[in-house]
Amino acid sequence: MAQDYVKLNNDIGIGMIAINKSVFQAIADISIDEIENAVRLPETRFSKPLQVKIENNRLHVETSINIKYGANVNQTCELLQNKVYENILFMTGFKASEVKVNVTGIEI
């Protein structure tokens, strides 16, 4: 079963530091907006375009986006993967194990 948080350090007797998965989701959401040719998909009752899973203290991020017409798909996906990974590392100090980007369509 998946956890709702990631432990950043072991309990040293005075407390434990943990980050909820909603924090990672917010960071990934902001990262999508920073990439020029990536268009974030709206969240509906039936589809979640941004999913964050934590299993065995490992972070997995998967997002679905649209790409603007005329943009290089491979380059945009690579930029987004790097941006999500770097922002999570910079803001939390935790390395994501996996960052997946799915392209679902072209935005005209």
Side-chain angles (χ1 to χ4, degrees):
M1 185 169 162
Q3 299 170 335
D4 286 338
Y5 61 89
V6 170
K7 294 180 192 176
L8 291 183
N9 65 354
N10 292 331
D11 189 10
I12 56 174
I14 57 174
M16 174 181 65
I17 297 175
I19 298 177
N20 194 322
K21 71 179 184 179
S22 64
V23 174
F24 297 113
Q25 189 167 0
I27 292 170
D29 211 18
I30 291 168
S31 300
I32 295 170
D33 292 335
E34 292 179 2
I35 302 299
E36 181 181 353
N37 293 319
V39 178
R40 184 169 19 125
L41 297 175
E43 187 172 320
T44 64
R45 286 178 35 185
F46 303 111
S47 70
K48 306 277 188 233
L50 179 61
Q51 297 177 358
V52 176
K53 294 180 185 172
I54 300 169
E55 296 173 348
N56 299 327
N57 216 32
R58 295 175 55 126
L59 179 65
H60 303 277
V61 180
E62 184 173 356
T63 184
S64 297
I65 61 168
N66 283 343
I67 300 288
K68 289 184 181 176
Y69 180 77
N72 186 333
V73 175
N74 192 30
Q75 183 181 14
T76 303
C77 290
E78 188 175 334
L79 282 171
L80 181 58
Q81 277 182 320
N82 290 335
K83 182 60 88 171
V84 169
Y85 180 82
E86 290 171 0
N87 283 349
I88 289 174
L89 181 61
F90 178 72
M91 293 181 192
T92 65
F94 193 78
K95 293 182 181 179
S97 298
E98 179 180 46
V99 178
K100 287 184 182 178
V101 177
N102 300 318
V103 178
T104 58
I106 304 294
E107 193 84 13
I108 298 177

